[in-house]
Amino acid sequence: MVKKAVVLAAGHGTRLRPFTCATPKPLMPVWGEPMLARVVKLLRERGVDDIVVNSHHLNEQVRAWVDAYRREAQAAGDKVRIKVSYEPEILGNGGVLNPLREWIGEDPFYLVSSDIVMENVPDLEKPFERLKTSGCIGVALVTEQGPRTIEVEPESKFVTCWKSPDPGVEGTFTYCGFAILKPAILKYVKPDGFSSIVTAFEKAMMEGGKFIKAVESKDLLWEDAGTIQRYIDLNRDGDDNGFADIPQLKAVGATNPKFLGARGSERVFFGCDQGIAVMYDDGNRDENGKYPGHARWLKSKGIPVPEILADIPEKKVMLMTNAGTERKMSLEDYVKVVETLVRFNALGSEPDVPANLLPPFDDETWEWERNLFAKYCLGANFQMEMPEAVRKELEGVAEILEREPKALVHRDFQSTNVLWKGNDLSFIDFQGMRLGPAAYDLASLVYDPYVAFTEDGRRALIALYAKKAERPELEKILPYAAVQRLVQCLGAYGRLRSVGQPQFQRHVLPALENLLDAADKAGLDAVGALAEDLIAKSQHCHHHS
């Protein structure tokens, strides 16, 4: 009987962020139980009584779980040995074995990923026993579910290729992250630093003629819970509310949580009895952590924003009131929004403006937006470089906007960031607010690619803002601000498409049409000509899709 197991629990869980910003992936619950607990339970059912769990990301939490499991087991008379192998620098699923060579000794062992969810797992020990004297170096559980990137020889069931050039074809399988290995595998593991166990498998095959034998079971239920969508789908499939045990949601007291969606800004949203719970990543986007403080300050100034009910920065989670839903706004609605926006923008002159605003709009910001447009819209979407004449005109736009008075700018003030509950509106997604030209926000609203404005309606709202803000000259500035904002939008749509969110592509054509309108009003001939060219290309692609 195989008595030892190495459980892989050191990864950063990058694909599962922001869930894993504050909770390590192995401790994320599936159907009310941490994934690590499910794996350890499976191993114990198979007679394994000596377990090592490697750790790196949020090591303290993994260690606390292991220590608690050991105490509970011992209190129940269970003599299981379980410990943590901490990796100051992550070693990979091959390198993990190096610090454990003495512990492994001459014994076979399980190597198991902790972010897999399995039911009806077949017995690997019987096929492993049958190959003890053969040239095989281990057995691995495989399935026809998933990406199917390994090739298995039909008769011998040996894995003959671990990185198939033809994934998904007949004879390919997915490695389930569950294997029993002979200690001889250590000969093929890179002796130091980071390495993959697949590299060791390949080396054993190529240099030693030693193979891994694949074991398949048609009854196996297997899922990789390592991505947001798969994790959400798995918890939806359970009989009970699978989200109720997510540590961050429990921390803010969210009851009956329901997944609402994820955003490109590295946040996930859950509706609950109390309102809306938001988990966020503030590592790559530090503005996400600024939301609660900004919300409290804006509310103190009379701006309608959601009320923050709970905020736990160390767990990257907040709870706020439900501000309502988006709706197709009437002209009367837009009047309310514009009047509120005037008050919002005016807060830039308040003496107690939050010190942790993002850096103000400046030459560097304008250049970043131009480069975003050049890379993700022109380059990635249309396979072209930015014409020099267009670049010069956009640099001129930035100079005009840089001369504008500094107001408090929302930064992403489109229609979807105004929610309604009856006749009451709320601004949301203001975490990126900073000082800059107020015209940028107004342009974001009235040149919003998500909304089809009439020319009269757009002019009326611009005139209303100019009157309320006592800035009649704003009407002349607005087309330049619209050009800048639309350039940013088009770049953002392309970037979102590049990270797996293609739904924003449907906004490209209306954004280009708005860009043409704004460029014409601003007298930017090169930008207008570019917009016309891109519109023609977009329409051509649409007709042939």
Side-chain angles (χ1 to χ4, degrees):
M1 180 177 287
V2 180
K3 307 294 285 184
K4 294 181 178 179
V6 178
V7 180
L8 303 168
H12 287 94
T14 304
R15 296 179 302 157
L16 204 52
R17 292 176 78 94
F19 289 101
T20 51
C21 289
T23 301
K25 181 167 60 173
L27 298 186
M28 290 299 297
V30 169
W31 306 328
E33 188 175 24
M35 288 187 274
L36 178 57
R38 297 177 63 85
V39 167
V40 171
K41 180 180 178 181
L42 174 65
L43 292 168
R44 295 291 291 125
E45 288 172 348
R46 277 147 205 267
V48 176
D49 60 11
D50 196 355
I51 301 171
V52 173
V53 179
N54 78 326
S55 71
H56 173 76
H57 177 58
L58 300 173
N59 161 66
E60 299 83 2
Q61 293 185 45
V62 175
R63 186 177 296 278
W65 185 91
V66 167
D67 289 345
Y69 180 90
R70 185 191 311 110
R71 288 194 300 270
E72 290 178 15
Q74 290 173 349
D78 187 341
K79 301 300 183 182
V80 64
R81 295 182 295 277
I82 183 169
K83 66 180 181 179
V84 169
S85 176
Y86 172 60
E87 300 174 2
E89 293 186 10
I90 200 162
L91 296 176
N93 58 8
V96 59
L97 302 178
N98 285 321
L100 306 176
R101 286 175 181 266
E102 185 176 340
W103 172 79
I104 292 170
E106 298 300 317
D107 300 320
F109 60 96
Y110 283 91
L111 183 66
V112 187
S113 296
S114 63
D115 63 348
I116 53 175
V117 178
M118 298 188 293
E119 299 284 339
N120 304 328
V121 181
D123 181 6
L124 291 192
E125 291 204 32
K126 288 181 180 177
F128 181 74
E129 287 292 324
R130 289 196 291 268
L131 56 80
K132 266 192 171 179
T133 58
S134 75
C136 280
I137 207 163
V139 295
L141 185 62
V142 303
T143 178
E144 289 187 327
Q145 304 171 57
R148 296 171 59 183
T149 55
I150 67 173
E151 297 177 6
V152 176
E153 201 280 320
E155 292 187 14
S156 67
K157 301 300 182 185
F158 290 169
V159 179
T160 56
C161 179
W162 288 91
K163 299 170 186 173
S164 174
D166 300 303
V169 303
E170 185 72 22
T172 58
F173 296 83
T174 299
Y175 171 47
C176 293
F178 193 75
I180 300 177
L181 303 175
K182 292 180 180 179
I185 191 65
L186 296 174
K187 177 182 176 181
Y188 303 100
V189 173
K190 180 185 170 187
D192 51 34
F194 181 94
S195 70
S196 164
I197 194 64
V198 167
T199 302
F201 292 162
E202 291 174 329
K203 190 173 182 181
M205 181 172 60
M206 300 303 293
E207 296 182 7
K210 297 183 183 297
F211 292 84
I212 296 291
K213 187 164 187 173
V215 176
E216 183 192 9
S217 170
K218 298 298 184 183
D219 295 327
L220 174 69
L221 299 176
W222 173 89
E223 290 289 351
D224 172 3
T227 68
I228 288 179
Q229 193 57 57
R230 287 308 308 134
Y231 180 76
I232 293 298
D233 289 346
L234 269 172
N235 278 299
R236 277 180 174 151
D237 291 341
D239 294 332
D240 300 318
N241 189 329
F243 304 125
D245 291 298
I246 293 175
Q248 294 95 316
L249 297 182
K250 292 177 72 173
V252 293
T255 55
N256 295 319
K258 293 178 175 60
F259 182 66
L260 299 179
R263 288 205 177 194
S265 51
E266 301 185 49
R267 293 173 294 162
V268 292
F269 296 78
F270 288 84
C272 59
D273 292 339
Q274 295 76 14
I276 305 292
V278 185
M279 279 179 271
Y280 58 86
D281 180 357
D282 63 354
N284 295 324
R285 302 188 65 131
D286 66 341
E287 67 263 30
N288 284 338
K290 302 177 188 291
Y291 195 107
H294 288 354
R296 294 186 182 103
W297 182 78
L298 289 169
K299 187 165 278 292
S300 76
K301 299 297 181 180
I303 302 299
V305 297
E307 180 182 355
I308 302 299
L309 303 175
D311 169 30
I312 309 179
E314 62 271 21
K315 290 191 177 294
K316 318 296 184 192
V317 64
M318 69 184 92
L319 180 68
M320 66 182 78
T321 53
N322 188 336
T325 58
E326 301 170 24
R327 76 184 186 199
K328 184 177 181 179
M329 291 190 279
S330 66
L331 187 58
E332 183 181 354
D333 290 338
Y334 272 105
V335 167
K336 286 185 180 180
V337 172
V338 167
E339 290 175 343
T340 308
L341 178 61
V342 171
R343 293 194 290 115
F344 180 100
N345 293 148
L347 293 176
S349 59
E350 291 288 298
D352 61 341
V353 169
N356 66 337
L357 293 178
L358 289 184
F361 278 100
D362 57 14
D363 290 340
E364 187 175 324
T365 313
W366 308 124
E367 182 180 11
W368 182 87
E369 292 188 347
R370 291 195 299 271
N371 290 340
L372 187 76
F373 174 67
K375 179 177 180 179
Y376 289 106
C377 179
L378 298 183
N381 233 9
F382 294 100
Q383 292 76 52
M384 64 180 293
E385 294 185 358
M386 183 184 290
E388 187 58 30
V390 171
R391 185 176 299 279
K392 287 183 177 179
E393 285 188 350
L394 291 178
E395 288 172 353
V397 167
E399 291 173 4
I400 291 170
L401 296 179
E402 195 59 27
R403 291 195 292 267
E404 280 289 284
K406 298 298 184 188
L408 182 67
V409 177
H410 180 288
R411 174 62 172 79
D412 203 20
F413 198 69
Q414 70 241 11
S415 59
T416 54
N417 285 332
V418 180
L419 299 185
W420 293 86
K421 188 176 282 187
N423 291 322
D424 296 326
L425 66 86
S426 288
F427 290 179
I428 62 168
D429 272 17
F430 41 75
Q431 65 273 12
M433 67 186 195
R434 65 196 76 185
L435 298 179
Y440 191 95
D441 274 351
L442 182 59
S444 301
L445 183 69
V446 300
Y447 279 90
D448 183 356
Y450 301 169
V451 179
F453 275 96
T454 65
E455 182 62 24
D456 287 346
R458 180 179 288 146
R459 284 181 176 173
L461 294 174
I462 296 169
L464 173 64
Y465 187 103
K467 180 180 179 181
K468 292 289 184 180
E470 298 180 349
R471 291 200 59 204
E473 75 281 5
L474 200 66
E475 297 184 51
K476 294 181 180 179
I477 298 296
L478 216 287
Y480 297 99
V483 166
Q484 183 67 39
R485 167 63 180 176
L486 290 162
V487 159
Q488 186 275 334
C489 285
L490 286 161
Y493 298 156
R495 186 190 69 80
L496 288 165
R497 178 190 184 189
S498 74
V499 295
Q501 297 194 54
Q503 67 270 24
F504 290 93
Q505 281 299 105
R506 68 180 184 272
H507 303 303
V508 168
L509 183 56
L512 289 170
E513 291 169 343
N514 284 353
L515 179 62
L516 175 58
D517 180 88
D520 285 348
K521 287 184 171 68
L524 302 173
D525 295 339
V527 173
L530 175 65
E532 284 186 324
D533 183 34
L534 299 183
I535 288 168
K537 289 180 178 179
S538 296
Q539 291 172 334
H540 177 78
C541 290
H542 177 73
H543 291 323
H544 287 80
S545 62

